[in-house]
Amino acid sequence: MQAAEHDAVFTSAEEQEKWLADAMALVQHHAFYMHRALDANNIRDVLKFSAQMLSELRTSKLSPQKYYELYMRTFDELRQLEVFFREEGKRGRLNADIYELVQHAGNILPRLYLLCTVGSVYIKSKEAPAKDVLKDLVEMSRGVQHPIRGLFLRSYLSQISRDKLPDIGSPYEGEGGSVMDAVEFVLQNFTEMNKLWVRMQHQGLVRDKEKREKERSELRDLVGKNLHVLSQLEGVDLEMYREVVLPRVLEQVVNCKDELAQYYLMDCIIQVFPDDFHLQTLETLLGACPQLQPTVDIKTVMSQLMERLSKYVAASPDVLQEFLQVEAFSKFSHSVVEVIDAQPDMPLVGAVSLHVSLLTFVLRVHADRLDYIDQVLGACVKKLEGKGKVKDSKATKQLVALLSAPLEKYKDVVVVLKLSNYARVMEHLDYETNKVMTVVLIQSILSNSTMISAPDKVDALFELLKELIQDSEGQPLLDMVDEEDFQEEQNLVARLVHMLVNDDPEQMFLILTTARKHFVQGGPRRLQYTLPPLIFTALKLVHSLQAQDLPEEGEGSGSVSLKKVFQFLHQMVEALAMVPAAELSLRLYLQCAEAAGDCGLEPVAYEFFTQAFVLYEEEVSDSKAQVTALQLIIGTLQRTRVFGVENRDTLTHKATGYSAKLLKKPDQCRAVYICSHLFWVEDGGTIDGERVLLCLKRALRIAHAAQQMSSATRGTSGPMTLFVEILNKYLYHFEKGNPQVTSSVIQGLLELIVTDMQSEATTHDLEVDAFLASTVRYIQFQKQKGDSIAEQYASIEVQ
């Protein structure tokens, strides 16, 4: 194959394969004759055929990947050639003569490969100082300026010399040179290789730039291996690294002004040199970052450096003092600002990513320094100034990562609330992302059982959560929000209220009032979710104050008292009633009334009952809701023992009156017989047997009326359910010792029920039959007990 043919560049895969196959065949052909010359110990033929074989490496028609295959094929042969040169030395031939002889090869590329091969043996023989041979080889290699050919040649030089450098402890140290000579050789080789590598981008057509960059990327390890060799030299201590190695390498990195080279070489520096070297030369290394090309992905480079140093601390905690001594955080922080300022066109996502990396570094290395964390957040806020809500989705994602990092580290929102710039970062999130972040905050509190126990912390927390608990600009109309999502979010807020805890009543009351201040701005739709848990938390405070036996009025205007808490409760339920949420408000009025009754506050309890009755009258119109509400009113009133005669009569009269006015007769009947419990309250309550009997008789009349209405409309009487229920109420009061409820009354009612059940006009219901049968069995059981109860039941006859 003639050298003149080594000009065109073939691009198709088929041509690449064909050319490689032809080149491989020629290498094998020349290698065959070279081996015959080796066997014959004919050095001139060996050099002739080896030079012909190596001439195949002069091709420009192969891609880097294919060229590498050809290079490795010839490399295998060169190893055999090296053994031959070594044997020649043993046979008495001077390596200096061989070194001189191979320089007569016709073409420079084969000549230099042969020189490197002989030079390796020459150094090992120690006939000449290693430093002189290495210097000669690295200088002569400048004769090949074709990027790919030159890179592989210098890679070969690096490979055959790496174990022959005059390093400390090396056999070649001393007369062969010093570690400085070794460093100089590697640095010079590295510099020339990087120049060749960068030069590749300027070859070929503009339209092939992407392809060339891919090819260059495939060759990057050839250049990087030099840095690896430097890192393995024993003589390269921290001093030499700081004064010689790093400045020279960074000079080459910065001056090459190539995006791919700068990114890769910075990554190499970070990966191959020791952690303590990086720490002690941090300022120098970071100083190069702002000088890199604007298109370099510097955020990834700096992130990798910070991550490596973070792992260094994690593996050796005792080095933390060194981080403090060199002011690592301050240098990183300053460098981040410099890099961002040096690249005004850097996308926002890049700037935020740098702050995320810096924050991650702080959380790993200086977790106890909240001021550092706040500084990072503050620097990010400064970058976001004037940008309003961030619209870029990638930048938004990084902002969420920035805000989530402290939560994940400390698992304590209280710590996050100490960061003054945290809320300022959140202000730059769009509504939907802000809402997601607030949900994350709440879930963190709930999952980690974080108690918020200071009013100022509650205020700060709710400021962070305002997108969920308040109406604000930029929010979509609530009518447009998915109802299920809205309920889920508000239920989270409701659960959050129960994490507001302080054992000091004064502080707890301040917490409640602070929470109310935020919740009342939430609009009517939110209040029905947020106010009820706040009300129940206030009721817990009532029980706490009651247990401490504090006076009704506080000692001073600022001190908490039962009266103040009940005023707070009244305001909350009243606000909820205006939503409107009548049924919920009525229940809460009754809860508060019962609590006031337990505290002995009759006027307060009466007021809450009054408000419940007003709501019932004005807002509760559905018949089922009225029944439920009345049952709750009667049950609460029955348990409340604080009322005097006058107030109790007023309230019970209202309750019984409402019961008789229900729309459906069965509902009337049940409500009226339930009212009988209002007049028989043991343990200090009302005992009025006559009014109990009046309620039961009135319930019977209503039950009869219901039967008659059923007969008139359907032609048959309805089931006897109501009568059996009333019979059970009679039995209850009979056992309680109500003198007005006698065995004869029960006997008469029982016979009436049995007779009506046997009537053909009565509609039979299996459940009613079973209910009556169970009641009869109960009477029989009581008759057979053999105690005072049995004597009561003795006169009642059952079939």
Side-chain angles (χ1 to χ4, degrees), residues 313-576:
V313 174
S316 307
D318 54 316
V319 302
L320 181 58
Q321 192 60 36
E322 294 180 35
F323 278 75
L324 297 173
Q325 289 172 354
V326 302
E327 298 180 335
F329 166 71
S330 177
K331 289 174 181 176
F332 272 123
S333 183
H334 180 68
S335 181
V336 166
V337 174
E338 280 195 329
V339 166
I340 293 174
D341 290 343
Q343 300 186 9
D345 296 329
M346 177 186 285
L348 183 60
V349 61
V352 178
S353 297
L354 277 172
H355 288 99
V356 172
S357 299
L358 181 57
L359 182 63
T360 303
F361 171 79
V362 174
L363 291 172
R364 290 177 177 174
V365 179
H366 303 291
D368 58 329
R369 295 297 298 268
L370 293 182
D371 55 327
Y372 285 178
I373 298 171
D374 213 26
Q375 282 183 45
V376 177
L377 295 175
C380 188
V381 169
K382 189 174 181 181
K383 179 62 183 175
L384 296 170
E385 280 179 356
K387 299 188 183 298
K389 302 291 185 182
V390 176
K391 304 296 183 184
D392 179 47
S393 60
K394 293 182 179 179
T396 299
K397 187 176 180 180
Q398 288 299 312
L399 282 176
V400 171
L402 185 76
L403 293 166
S404 301
L407 277 178
E408 294 170 1
K409 174 65 178 179
Y410 300 111
K411 303 187 184 304
D412 188 349
V413 170
V414 175
V415 174
V416 173
L417 295 176
K418 296 176 182 177
L419 306 172
S420 59
N421 289 307
Y422 195 90
R424 296 175 64 196
V425 175
M426 282 193 69
E427 289 174 0
H428 290 280
L429 298 175
D430 61 73
Y431 169 70
E432 287 299 330
T433 309
N434 195 308
K435 195 169 65 169
V436 169
M437 197 62 224
T438 58
V439 169
V440 170
L441 283 165
I442 296 175
Q443 288 175 335
S444 173
I445 294 171
L446 298 175
S447 61
N448 295 301
S449 300
T450 305
M451 300 299 174
I452 316 298
S453 55
D456 59 329
K457 293 295 184 289
V458 173
D459 192 43
L461 175 62
F462 283 8
E463 276 297 319
L464 290 179
L465 306 180
K466 60 185 177 183
E467 295 291 1
L468 275 189
I469 62 179
Q470 296 180 13
D471 293 328
S472 61
E473 294 182 11
Q475 291 185 0
L477 296 174
L478 288 181
D479 293 339
M480 300 171 62
V481 176
D482 182 78
E483 182 64 26
E484 187 174 337
D485 291 343
F486 179 78
Q487 288 180 2
E488 185 175 345
E489 292 162 1
Q490 295 307 307
N491 283 331
L492 273 177
V493 177
R495 291 173 61 193
L496 174 64
V497 173
H498 299 292
M499 308 307 291
L500 312 180
V501 178
N502 194 306
D503 294 333
D504 181 359
E506 297 284 347
Q507 291 296 304
M508 189 64 209
F509 188 66
L510 286 174
I511 287 173
L512 293 174
T513 53
T514 302
R516 178 183 64 180
K517 177 186 74 175
H518 289 274
F519 285 156
V520 294
Q521 301 176 54
R525 192 172 170 193
R526 290 189 181 88
L527 290 181
Q528 56 187 315
Y529 295 96
T530 55
L531 289 189
L534 193 62
I535 290 167
F536 279 104
T537 305
L539 287 172
K540 287 174 66 176
L541 178 58
V542 166
H543 295 312
S544 175
L545 292 171
Q546 183 186 2
Q548 296 178 33
D549 198 24
L550 294 179
E552 178 183 339
E553 300 286 348
E555 295 178 0
S557 60
S559 60
V560 67
S561 64
L562 285 170
K563 181 178 179 181
K564 282 188 176 180
V565 180
F566 278 113
Q567 287 173 347
F568 174 86
L569 285 165
H570 192 279
Q571 292 166 1
M572 289 295 90
V573 184
E574 189 175 38
L576 194 58

Side-chain angles (χ1 to χ4, degrees), residues 534-641:
L534 193 62
I535 290 167
F536 279 104
T537 305
L539 287 172
K540 287 174 66 176
L541 178 58
V542 166
H543 295 312
S544 175
L545 292 171
Q546 183 186 2
Q548 296 178 33
D549 198 24
L550 294 179
E552 178 183 339
E553 300 286 348
E555 295 178 0
S557 60
S559 60
V560 67
S561 64
L562 285 170
K563 181 178 179 181
K564 282 188 176 180
V565 180
F566 278 113
Q567 287 173 347
F568 174 86
L569 285 165
H570 192 279
Q571 292 166 1
M572 289 295 90
V573 184
E574 189 175 38
L576 194 58
M578 295 173 66
V579 166
E583 295 172 34
L584 177 58
S585 302
L586 187 144
R587 290 170 179 266
L588 293 172
Y589 272 131
L590 294 175
Q591 288 280 351
C592 295
E594 187 172 358
D598 291 342
C599 294
L601 304 177
E602 181 179 2
V604 177
Y606 188 83
E607 175 60 22
F608 280 118
F609 266 111
T610 301
Q611 294 300 322
F613 280 124
V614 169
L615 273 181
Y616 178 84
E617 290 177 353
E618 297 179 356
E619 302 293 339
V620 182
S621 56
D622 180 75
S623 60
K624 290 184 178 179
Q626 286 180 336
V627 172
T628 303
L630 268 178
Q631 290 174 343
L632 290 169
I633 289 171
I634 294 167
T636 306
L637 187 56
Q638 194 269 344
R639 292 191 299 273
T640 307
R641 313 292 173 84

Side-chain angles (χ1 to χ4, degrees), residues 107-160:
N107 292 311
I108 189 170
L109 189 67
R111 182 194 316 154
L112 290 174
Y113 271 104
L114 290 172
L115 267 176
C116 292
T117 307
V118 176
S120 172
V121 178
Y122 196 10
I123 295 171
K124 200 164 187 178
S125 70
K126 297 185 180 181
E127 291 179 18
K131 63 177 182 179
D132 294 340
V133 178
L134 291 172
K135 184 177 181 180
D136 188 45
L137 290 174
V138 78
E139 290 288 347
M140 292 183 71
S141 294
R142 288 184 177 179
V144 178
Q145 289 297 306
H146 185 280
I148 295 180
R149 294 197 289 262
L151 278 171
F152 277 95
L153 170 64
R154 287 186 174 275
S155 177
Y156 178 66
L157 172 59
S158 175
Q159 194 158 350
I160 59 101

Side-chain angles (χ1 to χ4, degrees), residues 36 45 112 135 191 227 232 237 260 270 281 292 334 360 362 468 470 498 508 635 642 712 727:
R36 289 183 62 178
D45 283 349
L112 290 174
K135 184 177 181 180
T191 300
L227 299 181
Q232 298 299 309
D237 56 10
L260 178 61
I270 293 168
T281 59
L292 302 181
H334 180 68
T360 303
V362 174
L468 275 189
Q470 296 180 13
H498 299 292
M508 189 64 209
V642 73
L727 172 61

